[in-house]
Amino acid sequence: MNELTAAFKEYATGTLLVLDLIGTFVFALSGAVVGVKRRLDIFGVLVISFAAASAGGIMRDLLIDSVPPAAIRDWRYMATSVLAGLLIFVWLPRSRRLSEVRSLVLLFDAAGLGLFAVTGTQKALGYGLHPAMAPLLGMLTGIGGGMLRDILVAEIPNVLRADLYAVAALAGAVVVVVGHLFGMAPLMAAVLGALICFSLRLIAIRRGWQLPVADAGPNERIE
């Protein structure tokens, strides 16, 4: 156990941190795009940006008792979120019509989902979670930021209505666990898992794949 924790901490100081910061940047972009779309002021855009980028990681760290959470403990997470928020706040209104914002949100969101799902899973494994439970924590890491982002702008979270959102995150997380069990290099497993999650999410959007939806009937209305 101690050897596993030590190996994880060594890995986390390098590759895992880089992947986590890339995921933070991409999810912060998606939050900032939504903020600009809703015509928030610069403070509002930065709040949404940080929330989207950090909520999933904070929930993950609290659940595995990695406190204070990395998003609060390490200034680089905040700096990455602020940079992404400022970039979108300045660039997006001048470069694109807001009618094109949806495609940007979906693209950034899919990329962040994949990256956070795999880093969350690897961190869970490093902290000793059972391989059967680690993918669930990875999925939570991936979907947490997007859920808070949508709630803050009064939208139904994507995870509750989007095409294979949580399922895509879970698929990427499972790949990481399988790679871990078979001795695959952590970086290779992370890249493969993130690509599978990202690809599955984009294909689901393009082809309209989705899970069964509750149907109250054509003539019934639920109050």
Side-chain angles (χ1 to χ4, degrees):
M1 180 67 179
N2 291 334
E3 292 180 359
L4 178 61
T5 302
F8 164 74
K9 289 181 177 179
E10 181 180 354
Y11 173 63
T13 60
T15 306
L16 184 57
L17 176 62
V18 171
L19 291 177
D20 220 17
L21 288 176
I22 294 173
T24 297
F25 184 78
V26 175
F27 250 135
L29 290 175
S30 79
V33 170
V34 171
V36 171
K37 178 184 177 182
R38 290 304 186 100
R39 302 184 65 82
L40 303 182
D41 62 21
I42 187 170
F43 180 76
V45 170
L46 294 180
V47 168
I48 297 293
S49 179
F50 180 75
S54 304
I58 289 174
M59 287 189 288
R60 171 200 67 201
D61 289 351
L62 290 175
L63 287 173
I64 61 177
D65 200 26
S66 176
V67 291
I72 299 173
R73 182 178 67 249
D74 192 331
W75 64 270
R76 287 171 289 190
Y77 288 87
M78 172 68 79
T80 300
S81 299
V82 170
L83 176 62
L86 291 175
L87 179 65
I88 292 297
F89 185 83
V90 172
W91 171 76
L92 184 62
R94 300 178 182 179
S95 303
R96 291 184 179 272
R97 300 190 307 273
L98 290 185
S99 60
E100 301 175 7
V101 163
R102 175 174 166 76
S103 60
L104 285 178
V105 174
L106 292 174
L107 182 64
F108 293 147
D109 192 64
L113 183 69
L115 288 167
F116 272 4
V118 299
T119 58
T121 304
Q122 289 188 327
K123 190 164 187 177
L125 290 171
Y127 273 75
L129 261 69
H130 191 278
M133 301 305 298
L136 298 180
L137 196 62
M139 180 183 68
L140 177 64
T141 307
I143 68 178
M147 289 180 64
L148 183 57
R149 174 199 65 207
D150 294 342
I151 290 171
L152 288 175
V153 295
E155 292 183 357
I156 297 175
N158 270 334
V159 67
L160 301 180
R161 59 182 173 84
D163 309 323
L164 301 188
Y165 192 81
V167 172
L170 186 59
V174 168
V175 169
V176 172
V177 171
V178 171
H180 170 75
L181 294 176
F182 282 91
M184 184 182 297
L187 177 59
M188 183 180 298
V191 171
L192 182 59
L195 285 176
I196 287 177
C197 176
F198 179 74
S199 300
L200 184 58
R201 178 76 182 108
L202 291 187
I203 292 172
I205 293 171
R206 184 176 182 84
R207 296 182 176 271
W209 292 349
Q210 61 181 16
L211 298 177
V213 177
D215 186 1
N219 299 317
E220 297 182 26
R221 180 178 176 183
I222 298 177
E223 298 294 341

